[in-house]
């Protein structure tokens, strides 16, 4: 009987959050092990369906780097990376678009629909959702000590987001699932980092939350302890003193940019945990690291 009562207490704890977030948009960047392990894929699909059924509007932006790498390897094509970015020529871009917009996107859509949801797959080309421009990367030439531009090919950054197609889908009770592929002014296709796309989509939709699913618990301090909250004004200092480093820097900066664009709160959470999204949204304690403007 106590176990049944505890389940009721969980529902009661979730009630104020269900009321607070009713009809609010939650943008979720889906990646890492949560996209690979079968039980996590099922858990994620059911979480998204539940969010929609109780009145929230989830929007999913997914990655797919490992899947792209696997297909390129099977084709005998080597992949080079510069500062974490995949060098993408036109032939590689064709593979990227095929894998992201085809295989990965449709698998996510299929999982959600299989468990009773109503998901629709999109790429940035649909409805001019994501307008992109070529990403300019720079480095210091070790010989001349002057900055030089690195050409990484068809890697892009978001120029603008057209939220009209997403709004229309939300109003029709559909769940948008977005592949991070953008279109340039001349119709060219660009591969864009999924975290950055999720952040810009969240900003364009004035989302209540941005959630980045990762393969780590969140941001940790120098003693290895999880930092539960970070005010956006604290981020530069945490980067300067090395608390935030490596691949965590672009993720935290993505969260900061989203908050600056009007997102109420951004979260970096561990997607390896079952029902991670529900635990973050509907519990008092939450999980991971929250980034927001906490200080006034």
């Amino acid at each position: 009987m106590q176990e049944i009562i505890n389940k009721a207490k969980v529902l009661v704890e979730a009630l104020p959050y269900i009321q607070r977030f009713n009809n609010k948009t939650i943008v979720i960047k889906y990646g890492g092990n949560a996209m690979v392990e079968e039980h996590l894929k099922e858990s994620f699909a059911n979480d998204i369906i539940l969010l929609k059924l109780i009145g929230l509007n989830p929007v999913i932006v997914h990655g797919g780097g490992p899947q792209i790498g696997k297909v390129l390897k099977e084709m005998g094509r080597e992949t080079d990376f510069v500062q974490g970015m995949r060098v993408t020529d036109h032939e590689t871009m064709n593979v990227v678009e095929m894998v992201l917009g085809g295989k990965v996107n449709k698998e996510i859509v299929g999982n959600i629909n299989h468990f009773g949801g109503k998901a629709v797959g999109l790429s940035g080309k649909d409805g001019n959702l994501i307008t992109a421009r070529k990403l300019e990367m720079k480095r210091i030439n070790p010989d001349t000590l002057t900055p030089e531009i690195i050409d990484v090919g068809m890697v892009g950054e978001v120029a603008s987001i057209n939220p009209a197609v997403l709004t229309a889908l939300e109003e029709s009770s559909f769940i948008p699932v977005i592949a991070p592929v953008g279109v340039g002014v001349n119709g060219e296709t660009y591969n864009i980092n999924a975290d950055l796309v999720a952040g810009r989509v969240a900003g364009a939709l004035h989302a209540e939350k941005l959630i980045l699913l990762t393969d780590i618990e969140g941001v940790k301090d120098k003693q290895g302890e999880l930092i539960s909250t970070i005010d956006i004004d604290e981020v530069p200092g945490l980067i300067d003193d090395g608390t935030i480093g490596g691949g965590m820097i672009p993720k935290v900066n993505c969260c900061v940019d989203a908050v600056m664009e009007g997102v109420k709160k951004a979260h970096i959470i561990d997607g390896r945990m079952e029902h991670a999204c529900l635990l973050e949204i509907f519990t008092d304690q939450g999980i991971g690291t929250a980034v927001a403007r906490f200080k006034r």
Side-chain angles (χ1 to χ4, degrees):
M1 181 60 70
Q2 187 59 47
E3 183 178 350
I4 297 174
I5 293 172
N6 289 338
K7 289 181 179 180
K9 288 181 177 179
V10 170
L11 295 174
V12 171
E13 180 181 344
L15 178 58
Y17 299 103
I18 295 172
Q19 293 171 324
R20 182 190 307 175
F21 300 138
N22 183 260
N23 206 33
K24 300 293 178 61
T25 295
I26 311 289
V27 176
I28 301 166
K29 187 272 179 159
Y30 181 41
N33 281 325
M35 283 180 60
V36 177
E37 298 183 21
E38 289 300 324
H39 73 286
L40 293 177
K41 289 194 288 186
E42 180 176 338
S43 167
F44 177 79
N46 282 309
D47 287 359
I48 295 302
I49 294 167
L50 178 60
L51 291 176
K52 191 68 176 179
L53 287 175
I54 61 178
L56 285 73
N57 293 317
V59 175
I60 301 164
V61 178
H62 65 81
Q67 292 88 339
I68 294 169
K70 180 180 178 182
V71 172
L72 288 171
K73 184 177 181 180
E74 290 172 350
M75 295 174 63
R77 294 183 62 86
E78 295 185 1
T79 300
D80 294 323
F81 289 87
V82 176
Q83 297 178 18
M85 296 290 184
R86 186 188 305 272
V87 178
T88 308
D89 58 20
H90 286 281
E91 290 185 10
T92 301
M93 187 64 237
N94 288 336
V95 175
V96 169
E97 187 171 16
M98 175 187 70
V99 174
L100 288 179
K103 184 179 186 302
V104 176
N105 187 274
K106 300 314 173 190
E107 179 180 337
I108 298 167
V109 169
N111 282 342
I112 294 172
N113 291 344
H114 173 73
F115 290 106
K118 292 172 58 181
V120 174
L122 303 165
S123 82
K125 289 183 171 182
D126 295 307
N128 286 324
L129 172 59
I130 305 171
T131 302
R133 55 178 171 259
K134 185 179 178 66
L135 176 66
E136 287 193 358
M137 297 184 63
K138 296 181 180 180
R139 68 180 173 189
I140 301 298
N141 186 303
D143 298 323
T144 64
L145 300 180
T146 57
E148 62 182 11
I149 295 176
I150 310 170
D151 187 0
V152 289
M154 305 305 293
V155 177
E157 60 182 355
V158 176
S160 64
I161 299 290
N162 176 13
V165 63
L166 301 178
T167 302
L169 288 171
E170 286 183 340
E171 292 174 350
S172 301
S173 299
F174 287 101
I175 301 166
V177 180
I178 305 168
V181 174
V183 59
V185 293
N186 297 314
E188 63 273 40
T189 305
Y190 289 104
N191 180 24
I192 311 175
N193 178 277
D195 289 340
L196 300 180
V197 171
R200 291 296 301 273
V201 167
L205 291 172
H206 305 292
E208 184 75 15
K209 288 181 179 291
L210 166 67
I211 297 176
L212 304 182
L213 290 177
T214 66
D215 287 340
I216 52 178
E217 294 175 39
V219 181
K220 296 185 177 181
D221 62 22
K222 292 182 179 179
Q223 288 70 48
E225 298 296 323
L226 180 69
I227 303 174
S228 59
T229 62
I230 298 175
D231 187 277
I232 60 173
D233 292 335
E234 298 173 343
V235 170
L238 292 172
I239 293 175
D240 288 342
D241 71 13
T243 301
I244 300 173
M248 187 57 73
I249 293 177
K251 290 185 183 297
V252 173
N253 282 336
C254 168
C255 292
V256 171
D257 290 342
V259 172
M260 294 292 288
E261 289 189 16
V263 176
K264 297 291 179 59
K265 193 177 289 187
H267 305 263
I268 300 171
I269 69 173
D270 191 347
R272 299 170 300 178
M273 183 182 298
E274 285 191 64
H275 307 298
C277 290
L278 299 186
L279 291 170
E280 176 53 58
I281 297 170
F282 296 126
T283 63
D284 294 336
Q285 185 175 358
I287 59 174
T289 300
V291 180
R293 195 183 293 280
F294 293 103
K295 300 174 183 177
R296 296 294 180 181

